[in-house]
PDB file of all heavy atoms in Angstrom:
ATOM      1  N   ILE A 951       0.835  -1.203   0.000  1.00  0.00           N
ATOM      2  CA  ILE A 951       0.000   0.000   0.000  1.00  0.00           C
ATOM      3  C   ILE A 951       0.871   1.255   0.000  1.00  0.00           C
ATOM      4  O   ILE A 951       0.601   2.229  -0.718  1.00  0.00           O
ATOM      5  CB  ILE A 951      -0.953   0.007   1.212  1.00  0.00           C
ATOM      6  CG1 ILE A 951      -1.875  -1.225   1.172  1.00  0.00           C
ATOM      7  CG2 ILE A 951      -1.772   1.286   1.234  1.00  0.00           C
ATOM      8  CD1 ILE A 951      -2.758  -1.291  -0.059  1.00  0.00           C
ATOM      9  N   THR A 952       1.943   1.238   0.801  1.00  0.00           N
ATOM     10  CA  THR A 952       2.865   2.377   0.828  1.00  0.00           C
ATOM     11  C   THR A 952       3.498   2.592  -0.540  1.00  0.00           C
ATOM     12  O   THR A 952       3.634   3.733  -1.001  1.00  0.00           O
ATOM     13  CB  THR A 952       3.960   2.136   1.882  1.00  0.00           C
ATOM     14  OG1 THR A 952       3.357   2.044   3.176  1.00  0.00           O
ATOM     15  CG2 THR A 952       4.980   3.271   1.874  1.00  0.00           C
ATOM     16  N   GLY A 953       3.888   1.503  -1.203  1.00  0.00           N
ATOM     17  CA  GLY A 953       4.476   1.616  -2.535  1.00  0.00           C
ATOM     18  C   GLY A 953       3.518   2.226  -3.539  1.00  0.00           C
ATOM     19  O   GLY A 953       3.916   3.063  -4.366  1.00  0.00           O
ATOM     20  N   ILE A 954       2.255   1.843  -3.478  1.00  0.00           N
ATOM     21  CA  ILE A 954       1.254   2.388  -4.397  1.00  0.00           C
ATOM     22  C   ILE A 954       1.098   3.896  -4.192  1.00  0.00           C
ATOM     23  O   ILE A 954       1.073   4.682  -5.156  1.00  0.00           O
ATOM     24  CB  ILE A 954      -0.095   1.666  -4.209  1.00  0.00           C
ATOM     25  CG1 ILE A 954       0.016   0.218  -4.726  1.00  0.00           C
ATOM     26  CG2 ILE A 954      -1.220   2.403  -4.933  1.00  0.00           C
ATOM     27  CD1 ILE A 954      -1.194  -0.641  -4.431  1.00  0.00           C
ATOM     28  N   PHE A 955       1.029   4.331  -2.931  1.00  0.00           N
ATOM     29  CA  PHE A 955       0.874   5.758  -2.671  1.00  0.00           C
ATOM     30  C   PHE A 955       2.170   6.521  -2.916  1.00  0.00           C
ATOM     31  O   PHE A 955       2.139   7.724  -3.190  1.00  0.00           O
ATOM     32  CB  PHE A 955       0.348   5.986  -1.257  1.00  0.00           C
ATOM     33  CG  PHE A 955      -1.142   5.834  -1.158  1.00  0.00           C
ATOM     34  CD1 PHE A 955      -1.707   4.629  -0.794  1.00  0.00           C
ATOM     35  CD2 PHE A 955      -1.968   6.887  -1.482  1.00  0.00           C
ATOM     36  CE1 PHE A 955      -3.086   4.480  -0.737  1.00  0.00           C
ATOM     37  CE2 PHE A 955      -3.353   6.750  -1.423  1.00  0.00           C
ATOM     38  CZ  PHE A 955      -3.911   5.542  -1.056  1.00  0.00           C
ATOM     39  N   THR A 956       3.301   5.835  -2.841  1.00  0.00           N
ATOM     40  CA  THR A 956       4.560   6.490  -3.194  1.00  0.00           C
ATOM     41  C   THR A 956       4.608   6.782  -4.687  1.00  0.00           C
ATOM     42  O   THR A 956       5.140   7.819  -5.111  1.00  0.00           O
ATOM     43  CB  THR A 956       5.753   5.607  -2.781  1.00  0.00           C
ATOM     44  OG1 THR A 956       5.722   5.404  -1.361  1.00  0.00           O
ATOM     45  CG2 THR A 956       7.078   6.262  -3.147  1.00  0.00           C
ATOM     46  N   ILE A 957       4.063   5.888  -5.505  1.00  0.00           N
ATOM     47  CA  ILE A 957       3.956   6.164  -6.942  1.00  0.00           C
ATOM     48  C   ILE A 957       3.109   7.416  -7.170  1.00  0.00           C
ATOM     49  O   ILE A 957       3.444   8.281  -7.984  1.00  0.00           O
ATOM     50  CB  ILE A 957       3.346   4.957  -7.683  1.00  0.00           C
ATOM     51  CG1 ILE A 957       4.266   3.738  -7.590  1.00  0.00           C
ATOM     52  CG2 ILE A 957       3.087   5.302  -9.159  1.00  0.00           C
ATOM     53  CD1 ILE A 957       3.640   2.453  -8.118  1.00  0.00           C
ATOM     54  N   CYS A 958       1.998   7.521  -6.430  1.00  0.00           N
ATOM     55  CA  CYS A 958       1.160   8.727  -6.525  1.00  0.00           C
ATOM     56  C   CYS A 958       1.938   9.967  -6.104  1.00  0.00           C
ATOM     57  O   CYS A 958       1.823  11.033  -6.729  1.00  0.00           O
ATOM     58  CB  CYS A 958      -0.077   8.573  -5.647  1.00  0.00           C
ATOM     59  SG  CYS A 958      -1.266   7.363  -6.226  1.00  0.00           S
ATOM     60  N   ALA A 959       2.736   9.834  -5.031  1.00  0.00           N
ATOM     61  CA  ALA A 959       3.519  10.979  -4.559  1.00  0.00           C
ATOM     62  C   ALA A 959       4.556  11.393  -5.599  1.00  0.00           C
ATOM     63  O   ALA A 959       4.776  12.594  -5.826  1.00  0.00           O
ATOM     64  CB  ALA A 959       4.204  10.622  -3.239  1.00  0.00           C
ATOM     65  N   MET A 960       5.196  10.430  -6.249  1.00  0.00           N
ATOM     66  CA  MET A 960       6.157  10.757  -7.300  1.00  0.00           C
ATOM     67  C   MET A 960       5.473  11.490  -8.449  1.00  0.00           C
ATOM     68  O   MET A 960       6.013  12.455  -9.003  1.00  0.00           O
ATOM     69  CB  MET A 960       6.838   9.483  -7.809  1.00  0.00           C
ATOM     70  CG  MET A 960       7.860   8.897  -6.868  1.00  0.00           C
ATOM     71  SD  MET A 960       8.890   7.614  -7.646  1.00  0.00           S
ATOM     72  CE  MET A 960       7.695   6.295  -7.831  1.00  0.00           C
ATOM     73  N   SER A 961       4.270  11.029  -8.807  1.00  0.00           N
ATOM     74  CA  SER A 961       3.549  11.683  -9.900  1.00  0.00           C
ATOM     75  C   SER A 961       3.139  13.099  -9.508  1.00  0.00           C
ATOM     76  O   SER A 961       3.220  14.029 -10.316  1.00  0.00           O
ATOM     77  CB  SER A 961       2.320  10.855 -10.291  1.00  0.00           C
ATOM     78  OG  SER A 961       1.326  10.879  -9.280  1.00  0.00           O
ATOM     79  N   LEU A 962       2.705  13.291  -8.257  1.00  0.00           N
ATOM     80  CA  LEU A 962       2.351  14.634  -7.801  1.00  0.00           C
ATOM     81  C   LEU A 962       3.574  15.539  -7.747  1.00  0.00           C
ATOM     82  O   LEU A 962       3.486  16.738  -8.048  1.00  0.00           O
ATOM     83  CB  LEU A 962       1.692  14.554  -6.418  1.00  0.00           C
ATOM     84  CG  LEU A 962       1.281  15.885  -5.778  1.00  0.00           C
ATOM     85  CD1 LEU A 962       0.267  16.624  -6.653  1.00  0.00           C
ATOM     86  CD2 LEU A 962       0.718  15.660  -4.390  1.00  0.00           C
ATOM     87  N   ASN A 963       4.725  14.976  -7.380  1.00  0.00           N
ATOM     88  CA  ASN A 963       5.952  15.762  -7.304  1.00  0.00           C
ATOM     89  C   ASN A 963       6.359  16.325  -8.663  1.00  0.00           C
ATOM     90  O   ASN A 963       6.981  17.386  -8.745  1.00  0.00           O
ATOM     91  CB  ASN A 963       7.083  14.889  -6.748  1.00  0.00           C
ATOM     92  CG  ASN A 963       8.359  15.673  -6.509  1.00  0.00           C
ATOM     93  OD1 ASN A 963       8.352  16.740  -5.918  1.00  0.00           O
ATOM     94  ND2 ASN A 963       9.478  15.137  -6.993  1.00  0.00           N
ATOM     95  N   LEU A 964       5.994  15.632  -9.724  1.00  0.00           N
ATOM     96  CA  LEU A 964       6.290  16.136 -11.064  1.00  0.00           C
ATOM     97  C   LEU A 964       5.601  17.476 -11.294  1.00  0.00           C
ATOM     98  O   LEU A 964       6.155  18.371 -11.956  1.00  0.00           O
ATOM     99  CB  LEU A 964       5.841  15.114 -12.117  1.00  0.00           C
ATOM    100  CG  LEU A 964       6.190  15.427 -13.571  1.00  0.00           C
ATOM    101  CD1 LEU A 964       7.693  15.530 -13.763  1.00  0.00           C
ATOM    102  CD2 LEU A 964       5.603  14.365 -14.495  1.00  0.00           C
ATOM    103  N   LEU A 965       4.399  17.626 -10.725  1.00  0.00           N
ATOM    104  CA  LEU A 965       3.693  18.901 -10.837  1.00  0.00           C
ATOM    105  C   LEU A 965       4.114  19.882  -9.753  1.00  0.00           C
ATOM    106  O   LEU A 965       4.543  20.993 -10.040  1.00  0.00           O
ATOM    107  CB  LEU A 965       2.174  18.664 -10.739  1.00  0.00           C
ATOM    108  CG  LEU A 965       1.422  18.259 -12.004  1.00  0.00           C
ATOM    109  CD1 LEU A 965      -0.039  18.035 -11.675  1.00  0.00           C
ATOM    110  CD2 LEU A 965       1.564  19.301 -13.081  1.00  0.00           C
ATOM    111  N   LEU A 966       3.998  19.460  -8.505  1.00  0.00           N
ATOM    112  CA  LEU A 966       4.247  20.355  -7.389  1.00  0.00           C
ATOM    113  C   LEU A 966       5.725  20.720  -7.258  1.00  0.00           C
ATOM    114  O   LEU A 966       6.071  21.876  -7.026  1.00  0.00           O
ATOM    115  CB  LEU A 966       3.755  19.697  -6.094  1.00  0.00           C
ATOM    116  CG  LEU A 966       3.996  20.456  -4.790  1.00  0.00           C
ATOM    117  CD1 LEU A 966       3.350  21.827  -4.836  1.00  0.00           C
ATOM    118  CD2 LEU A 966       3.476  19.653  -3.610  1.00  0.00           C
ATOM    119  N   GLY A 967       6.602  19.735  -7.415  1.00  0.00           N
ATOM    120  CA  GLY A 967       8.017  19.966  -7.178  1.00  0.00           C
ATOM    121  C   GLY A 967       8.764  20.563  -8.350  1.00  0.00           C
ATOM    122  O   GLY A 967       9.644  21.408  -8.160  1.00  0.00           O
ATOM    123  N   PHE A 968       8.413  20.143  -9.578  1.00  0.00           N
ATOM    124  CA  PHE A 968       9.202  20.568 -10.736  1.00  0.00           C
ATOM    125  C   PHE A 968       8.546  21.666 -11.564  1.00  0.00           C
ATOM    126  O   PHE A 968       9.213  22.295 -12.382  1.00  0.00           O
ATOM    127  CB  PHE A 968       9.513  19.362 -11.616  1.00  0.00           C
ATOM    128  CG  PHE A 968      10.458  18.389 -10.982  1.00  0.00           C
ATOM    129  CD1 PHE A 968       9.993  17.208 -10.421  1.00  0.00           C
ATOM    130  CD2 PHE A 968      11.815  18.659 -10.909  1.00  0.00           C
ATOM    131  CE1 PHE A 968      10.862  16.312  -9.822  1.00  0.00           C
ATOM    132  CE2 PHE A 968      12.690  17.772 -10.306  1.00  0.00           C
ATOM    133  CZ  PHE A 968      12.215  16.592  -9.759  1.00  0.00           C
ATOM    134  N   THR A 969       7.233  21.889 -11.387  1.00  0.00           N
ATOM    135  CA  THR A 969       6.581  22.998 -12.102  1.00  0.00           C
ATOM    136  C   THR A 969       5.976  24.010 -11.146  1.00  0.00           C
ATOM    137  O   THR A 969       5.582  25.093 -11.579  1.00  0.00           O
ATOM    138  CB  THR A 969       5.466  22.485 -13.044  1.00  0.00           C
ATOM    139  OG1 THR A 969       4.365  21.995 -12.263  1.00  0.00           O
ATOM    140  CG2 THR A 969       5.983  21.384 -13.953  1.00  0.00           C
ATOM    141  N   GLY A 970       5.875  23.659  -9.851  1.00  0.00           N
ATOM    142  CA  GLY A 970       5.316  24.589  -8.878  1.00  0.00           C
ATOM    143  C   GLY A 970       3.809  24.673  -8.891  1.00  0.00           C
ATOM    144  O   GLY A 970       3.234  25.589  -8.290  1.00  0.00           O
ATOM    145  N   GLN A 971       3.121  23.725  -9.538  1.00  0.00           N
ATOM    146  CA  GLN A 971       1.664  23.744  -9.626  1.00  0.00           C
ATOM    147  C   GLN A 971       1.073  22.750  -8.627  1.00  0.00           C
ATOM    148  O   GLN A 971       1.351  21.560  -8.697  1.00  0.00           O
ATOM    149  CB  GLN A 971       1.208  23.387 -11.042  1.00  0.00           C
ATOM    150  CG  GLN A 971       1.756  24.285 -12.118  1.00  0.00           C
ATOM    151  CD  GLN A 971       1.342  25.726 -11.942  1.00  0.00           C
ATOM    152  OE1 GLN A 971       0.178  26.028 -11.664  1.00  0.00           O
ATOM    153  NE2 GLN A 971       2.291  26.637 -12.107  1.00  0.00           N
ATOM    154  N   LEU A 972       0.279  23.232  -7.687  1.00  0.00           N
ATOM    155  CA  LEU A 972      -0.309  22.399  -6.647  1.00  0.00           C
ATOM    156  C   LEU A 972      -1.640  21.836  -7.116  1.00  0.00           C
ATOM    157  O   LEU A 972      -2.582  22.580  -7.392  1.00  0.00           O
ATOM    158  CB  LEU A 972      -0.505  23.208  -5.361  1.00  0.00           C
ATOM    159  CG  LEU A 972      -1.230  22.493  -4.214  1.00  0.00           C
ATOM    160  CD1 LEU A 972      -0.462  21.248  -3.794  1.00  0.00           C
ATOM    161  CD2 LEU A 972      -1.435  23.432  -3.041  1.00  0.00           C
ATOM    162  N   SER A 973      -1.711  20.517  -7.204  1.00  0.00           N
ATOM    163  CA  SER A 973      -2.953  19.831  -7.555  1.00  0.00           C
ATOM    164  C   SER A 973      -3.546  19.218  -6.292  1.00  0.00           C
ATOM    165  O   SER A 973      -2.966  18.297  -5.721  1.00  0.00           O
ATOM    166  CB  SER A 973      -2.691  18.741  -8.600  1.00  0.00           C
ATOM    167  OG  SER A 973      -3.847  17.936  -8.770  1.00  0.00           O
ATOM    168  N   LEU A 974      -4.692  19.734  -5.858  1.00  0.00           N
ATOM    169  CA  LEU A 974      -5.368  19.177  -4.687  1.00  0.00           C
ATOM    170  C   LEU A 974      -6.494  18.227  -5.091  1.00  0.00           C
ATOM    171  O   LEU A 974      -7.301  17.842  -4.247  1.00  0.00           O
ATOM    172  CB  LEU A 974      -5.920  20.308  -3.799  1.00  0.00           C
ATOM    173  CG  LEU A 974      -4.854  21.117  -3.045  1.00  0.00           C
ATOM    174  CD1 LEU A 974      -5.504  22.181  -2.173  1.00  0.00           C
ATOM    175  CD2 LEU A 974      -3.968  20.208  -2.205  1.00  0.00           C
ATOM    176  N   GLY A 975      -6.500  17.852  -6.354  1.00  0.00           N
ATOM    177  CA  GLY A 975      -7.477  16.871  -6.813  1.00  0.00           C
ATOM    178  C   GLY A 975      -6.789  15.686  -7.455  1.00  0.00           C
ATOM    179  O   GLY A 975      -7.376  14.979  -8.281  1.00  0.00           O
ATOM    180  N   HIS A 976      -5.537  15.453  -7.069  1.00  0.00           N
ATOM    181  CA  HIS A 976      -4.760  14.399  -7.711  1.00  0.00           C
ATOM    182  C   HIS A 976      -5.373  13.023  -7.486  1.00  0.00           C
ATOM    183  O   HIS A 976      -5.176  12.111  -8.285  1.00  0.00           O
ATOM    184  CB  HIS A 976      -3.328  14.426  -7.183  1.00  0.00           C
ATOM    185  CG  HIS A 976      -2.322  13.934  -8.167  1.00  0.00           C
ATOM    186  ND1 HIS A 976      -2.088  14.551  -9.379  1.00  0.00           N
ATOM    187  CD2 HIS A 976      -1.487  12.855  -8.150  1.00  0.00           C
ATOM    188  CE1 HIS A 976      -1.161  13.895 -10.044  1.00  0.00           C
ATOM    189  NE2 HIS A 976      -0.789  12.866  -9.325  1.00  0.00           N
ATOM    190  N   VAL A 977      -6.117  12.889  -6.396  1.00  0.00           N
ATOM    191  CA  VAL A 977      -6.745  11.599  -6.106  1.00  0.00           C
ATOM    192  C   VAL A 977      -7.773  11.230  -7.175  1.00  0.00           C
ATOM    193  O   VAL A 977      -8.115  10.050  -7.329  1.00  0.00           O
ATOM    194  CB  VAL A 977      -7.400  11.641  -4.705  1.00  0.00           C
ATOM    195  CG1 VAL A 977      -8.650  12.509  -4.712  1.00  0.00           C
ATOM    196  CG2 VAL A 977      -7.723  10.252  -4.207  1.00  0.00           C
ATOM    197  N   ALA A 978      -8.256  12.216  -7.927  1.00  0.00           N
ATOM    198  CA  ALA A 978      -9.220  11.923  -8.995  1.00  0.00           C
ATOM    199  C   ALA A 978      -8.614  10.979 -10.018  1.00  0.00           C
ATOM    200  O   ALA A 978      -9.267  10.025 -10.472  1.00  0.00           O
ATOM    201  CB  ALA A 978      -9.671  13.219  -9.665  1.00  0.00           C
ATOM    202  N   PHE A 979      -7.358  11.210 -10.396  1.00  0.00           N
ATOM    203  CA  PHE A 979      -6.709  10.349 -11.391  1.00  0.00           C
ATOM    204  C   PHE A 979      -6.446   8.956 -10.812  1.00  0.00           C
ATOM    205  O   PHE A 979      -6.551   7.953 -11.514  1.00  0.00           O
ATOM    206  CB  PHE A 979      -5.407  10.999 -11.850  1.00  0.00           C
ATOM    207  CG  PHE A 979      -5.592  12.398 -12.365  1.00  0.00           C
ATOM    208  CD1 PHE A 979      -5.013  13.482 -11.722  1.00  0.00           C
ATOM    209  CD2 PHE A 979      -6.368  12.645 -13.482  1.00  0.00           C
ATOM    210  CE1 PHE A 979      -5.198  14.774 -12.180  1.00  0.00           C
ATOM    211  CE2 PHE A 979      -6.561  13.933 -13.965  1.00  0.00           C
ATOM    212  CZ  PHE A 979      -5.982  15.001 -13.308  1.00  0.00           C
ATOM    213  N   PHE A 980      -6.112   8.916  -9.537  1.00  0.00           N
ATOM    214  CA  PHE A 980      -5.936   7.633  -8.850  1.00  0.00           C
ATOM    215  C   PHE A 980      -7.239   6.830  -8.885  1.00  0.00           C
ATOM    216  O   PHE A 980      -7.254   5.646  -9.233  1.00  0.00           O
ATOM    217  CB  PHE A 980      -5.512   7.905  -7.405  1.00  0.00           C
ATOM    218  CG  PHE A 980      -5.360   6.685  -6.552  1.00  0.00           C
ATOM    219  CD1 PHE A 980      -4.258   5.846  -6.683  1.00  0.00           C
ATOM    220  CD2 PHE A 980      -6.311   6.378  -5.591  1.00  0.00           C
ATOM    221  CE1 PHE A 980      -4.112   4.723  -5.884  1.00  0.00           C
ATOM    222  CE2 PHE A 980      -6.176   5.257  -4.785  1.00  0.00           C
ATOM    223  CZ  PHE A 980      -5.073   4.425  -4.928  1.00  0.00           C
ATOM    224  N   GLY A 981      -8.355   7.489  -8.553  1.00  0.00           N
ATOM    225  CA  GLY A 981      -9.646   6.802  -8.547  1.00  0.00           C
ATOM    226  C   GLY A 981     -10.121   6.418  -9.933  1.00  0.00           C
ATOM    227  O   GLY A 981     -10.682   5.329 -10.129  1.00  0.00           O
ATOM    228  N   ILE A 982      -9.906   7.302 -10.905  1.00  0.00           N
ATOM    229  CA  ILE A 982     -10.305   6.974 -12.285  1.00  0.00           C
ATOM    230  C   ILE A 982      -9.538   5.755 -12.768  1.00  0.00           C
ATOM    231  O   ILE A 982     -10.106   4.845 -13.388  1.00  0.00           O
ATOM    232  CB  ILE A 982     -10.067   8.180 -13.211  1.00  0.00           C
ATOM    233  CG1 ILE A 982     -11.045   9.308 -12.896  1.00  0.00           C
ATOM    234  CG2 ILE A 982     -10.205   7.772 -14.679  1.00  0.00           C
ATOM    235  CD1 ILE A 982     -10.760  10.595 -13.641  1.00  0.00           C
ATOM    236  N   GLY A 983      -8.242   5.723 -12.501  1.00  0.00           N
ATOM    237  CA  GLY A 983      -7.445   4.554 -12.889  1.00  0.00           C
ATOM    238  C   GLY A 983      -7.959   3.282 -12.257  1.00  0.00           C
ATOM    239  O   GLY A 983      -8.024   2.220 -12.912  1.00  0.00           O
ATOM    240  N   ALA A 984      -8.364   3.362 -10.987  1.00  0.00           N
ATOM    241  CA  ALA A 984      -8.881   2.180 -10.291  1.00  0.00           C
ATOM    242  C   ALA A 984     -10.185   1.702 -10.930  1.00  0.00           C
ATOM    243  O   ALA A 984     -10.362   0.499 -11.194  1.00  0.00           O
ATOM    244  CB  ALA A 984      -9.096   2.503  -8.818  1.00  0.00           C
ATOM    245  N   TYR A 985     -11.097   2.621 -11.199  1.00  0.00           N
ATOM    246  CA  TYR A 985     -12.391   2.233 -11.767  1.00  0.00           C
ATOM    247  C   TYR A 985     -12.262   1.754 -13.208  1.00  0.00           C
ATOM    248  O   TYR A 985     -12.903   0.768 -13.604  1.00  0.00           O
ATOM    249  CB  TYR A 985     -13.375   3.405 -11.684  1.00  0.00           C
ATOM    250  CG  TYR A 985     -14.189   3.410 -10.415  1.00  0.00           C
ATOM    251  CD1 TYR A 985     -13.852   4.232  -9.348  1.00  0.00           C
ATOM    252  CD2 TYR A 985     -15.299   2.582 -10.272  1.00  0.00           C
ATOM    253  CE1 TYR A 985     -14.593   4.236  -8.176  1.00  0.00           C
ATOM    254  CE2 TYR A 985     -16.052   2.578  -9.113  1.00  0.00           C
ATOM    255  CZ  TYR A 985     -15.689   3.405  -8.062  1.00  0.00           C
ATOM    256  OH  TYR A 985     -16.426   3.395  -6.903  1.00  0.00           O
ATOM    257  N   VAL A 986     -11.457   2.436 -14.011  1.00  0.00           N
ATOM    258  CA  VAL A 986     -11.291   2.012 -15.411  1.00  0.00           C
ATOM    259  C   VAL A 986     -10.717   0.610 -15.481  1.00  0.00           C
ATOM    260  O   VAL A 986     -11.196  -0.250 -16.232  1.00  0.00           O
ATOM    261  CB  VAL A 986     -10.388   3.011 -16.170  1.00  0.00           C
ATOM    262  CG1 VAL A 986      -9.957   2.433 -17.517  1.00  0.00           C
ATOM    263  CG2 VAL A 986     -11.111   4.339 -16.377  1.00  0.00           C
ATOM    264  N   SER A 987      -9.693   0.342 -14.697  1.00  0.00           N
ATOM    265  CA  SER A 987      -9.056  -0.971 -14.719  1.00  0.00           C
ATOM    266  C   SER A 987     -10.004  -2.050 -14.203  1.00  0.00           C
ATOM    267  O   SER A 987     -10.094  -3.141 -14.777  1.00  0.00           O
ATOM    268  CB  SER A 987      -7.779  -0.932 -13.878  1.00  0.00           C
ATOM    269  OG  SER A 987      -6.988  -2.068 -14.117  1.00  0.00           O
ATOM    270  N   ALA A 988     -10.736  -1.741 -13.123  1.00  0.00           N
ATOM    271  CA  ALA A 988     -11.661  -2.721 -12.552  1.00  0.00           C
ATOM    272  C   ALA A 988     -12.799  -3.038 -13.515  1.00  0.00           C
ATOM    273  O   ALA A 988     -13.153  -4.214 -13.721  1.00  0.00           O
ATOM    274  CB  ALA A 988     -12.213  -2.204 -11.230  1.00  0.00           C
ATOM    275  N   LEU A 989     -13.382  -1.998 -14.134  1.00  0.00           N
ATOM    276  CA  LEU A 989     -14.494  -2.221 -15.055  1.00  0.00           C
ATOM    277  C   LEU A 989     -14.039  -2.931 -16.325  1.00  0.00           C
ATOM    278  O   LEU A 989     -14.792  -3.719 -16.912  1.00  0.00           O
ATOM    279  CB  LEU A 989     -15.155  -0.888 -15.402  1.00  0.00           C
ATOM    280  CG  LEU A 989     -15.961  -0.236 -14.274  1.00  0.00           C
ATOM    281  CD1 LEU A 989     -16.356   1.188 -14.644  1.00  0.00           C
ATOM    282  CD2 LEU A 989     -17.204  -1.061 -13.966  1.00  0.00           C
ATOM    283  N   THR A 990     -12.810  -2.671 -16.759  1.00  0.00           N
ATOM    284  CA  THR A 990     -12.280  -3.376 -17.927  1.00  0.00           C
ATOM    285  C   THR A 990     -12.156  -4.866 -17.638  1.00  0.00           C
ATOM    286  O   THR A 990     -12.409  -5.704 -18.514  1.00  0.00           O
ATOM    287  CB  THR A 990     -10.905  -2.813 -18.322  1.00  0.00           C
ATOM    288  OG1 THR A 990     -11.038  -1.420 -18.613  1.00  0.00           O
ATOM    289  CG2 THR A 990     -10.350  -3.525 -19.541  1.00  0.00           C
ATOM    290  N   ALA A 991     -11.771  -5.219 -16.428  1.00  0.00           N
ATOM    291  CA  ALA A 991     -11.615  -6.625 -16.072  1.00  0.00           C
ATOM    292  C   ALA A 991     -12.955  -7.297 -15.771  1.00  0.00           C
ATOM    293  O   ALA A 991     -13.166  -8.459 -16.130  1.00  0.00           O
ATOM    294  CB  ALA A 991     -10.688  -6.753 -14.860  1.00  0.00           C
ATOM    295  N   LEU A 992     -13.879  -6.564 -15.121  1.00  0.00           N
ATOM    296  CA  LEU A 992     -15.153  -7.163 -14.710  1.00  0.00           C
ATOM    297  C   LEU A 992     -16.196  -7.159 -15.814  1.00  0.00           C
ATOM    298  O   LEU A 992     -17.050  -8.037 -15.877  1.00  0.00           O
ATOM    299  CB  LEU A 992     -15.710  -6.400 -13.501  1.00  0.00           C
ATOM    300  CG  LEU A 992     -14.955  -6.535 -12.177  1.00  0.00           C
ATOM    301  CD1 LEU A 992     -15.521  -5.556 -11.164  1.00  0.00           C
ATOM    302  CD2 LEU A 992     -15.041  -7.961 -11.660  1.00  0.00           C
ATOM    303  N   GLY A 993     -16.148  -6.148 -16.670  1.00  0.00           N
ATOM    304  CA  GLY A 993     -17.193  -5.957 -17.657  1.00  0.00           C
ATOM    305  C   GLY A 993     -18.335  -5.124 -17.083  1.00  0.00           C
ATOM    306  O   GLY A 993     -18.395  -4.865 -15.879  1.00  0.00           O
ATOM    307  N   PHE A 994     -19.268  -4.722 -17.958  1.00  0.00           N
ATOM    308  CA  PHE A 994     -20.397  -3.905 -17.501  1.00  0.00           C
ATOM    309  C   PHE A 994     -21.513  -3.958 -18.536  1.00  0.00           C
ATOM    310  O   PHE A 994     -21.302  -4.330 -19.696  1.00  0.00           O
ATOM    311  CB  PHE A 994     -19.963  -2.451 -17.264  1.00  0.00           C
ATOM    312  CG  PHE A 994     -19.240  -1.823 -18.418  1.00  0.00           C
ATOM    313  CD1 PHE A 994     -19.928  -1.230 -19.470  1.00  0.00           C
ATOM    314  CD2 PHE A 994     -17.855  -1.845 -18.469  1.00  0.00           C
ATOM    315  CE1 PHE A 994     -19.260  -0.661 -20.540  1.00  0.00           C
ATOM    316  CE2 PHE A 994     -17.174  -1.275 -19.536  1.00  0.00           C
ATOM    317  CZ  PHE A 994     -17.869  -0.679 -20.572  1.00  0.00           C
ATOM    318  N   ASP A 995     -22.694  -3.588 -18.087  1.00  0.00           N
ATOM    319  CA  ASP A 995     -23.872  -3.491 -18.954  1.00  0.00           C
ATOM    320  C   ASP A 995     -24.611  -2.236 -18.527  1.00  0.00           C
ATOM    321  O   ASP A 995     -25.269  -2.206 -17.481  1.00  0.00           O
ATOM    322  CB  ASP A 995     -24.754  -4.736 -18.792  1.00  0.00           C
ATOM    323  CG  ASP A 995     -25.963  -4.711 -19.714  1.00  0.00           C
ATOM    324  OD1 ASP A 995     -26.012  -3.837 -20.604  1.00  0.00           O
ATOM    325  OD2 ASP A 995     -26.873  -5.545 -19.532  1.00  0.00           O
ATOM    326  N   VAL A 996     -24.493  -1.181 -19.295  1.00  0.00           N
ATOM    327  CA  VAL A 996     -24.985   0.118 -18.864  1.00  0.00           C
ATOM    328  C   VAL A 996     -25.817   0.767 -19.958  1.00  0.00           C
ATOM    329  O   VAL A 996     -25.501   0.665 -21.151  1.00  0.00           O
ATOM    330  CB  VAL A 996     -23.795   1.032 -18.464  1.00  0.00           C
ATOM    331  CG1 VAL A 996     -22.862   1.256 -19.636  1.00  0.00           C
ATOM    332  CG2 VAL A 996     -24.279   2.356 -17.898  1.00  0.00           C
ATOM    333  N   GLY A 997     -26.900   1.416 -19.537  1.00  0.00           N
ATOM    334  CA  GLY A 997     -27.753   2.127 -20.469  1.00  0.00           C
ATOM    335  C   GLY A 997     -27.277   3.550 -20.683  1.00  0.00           C
ATOM    336  O   GLY A 997     -26.756   4.195 -19.773  1.00  0.00           O
TER     337      GLY A 997
END
């Protein structure tokens, strides 16, 4: 779990540390990645 969030921290550092842009919604990309990957594996039927 620590390794997974460290990857997120490295990705945030690319914005915050190297460009000076603070993203306080970075968790959105983390969650989108989780849902996209899960739905791709599980499948879905949606109207």
Side-chain angles (χ1 to χ4, degrees):
I951 300 299
T952 297
I954 290 173
F955 278 94
T956 299
I957 296 171
C958 290
M960 286 192 290
S961 69
L962 179 60
N963 186 48
L964 185 61
L965 276 178
L966 177 58
F968 292 102
T969 70
Q971 302 299 315
L972 175 60
S973 170
L974 289 181
H976 209 63
V977 72
F979 305 116
F980 177 75
I982 291 172
Y985 269 100
V986 168
S987 193
L989 289 170
T990 301
L992 291 171
F994 52 85
D995 182 10
V996 61

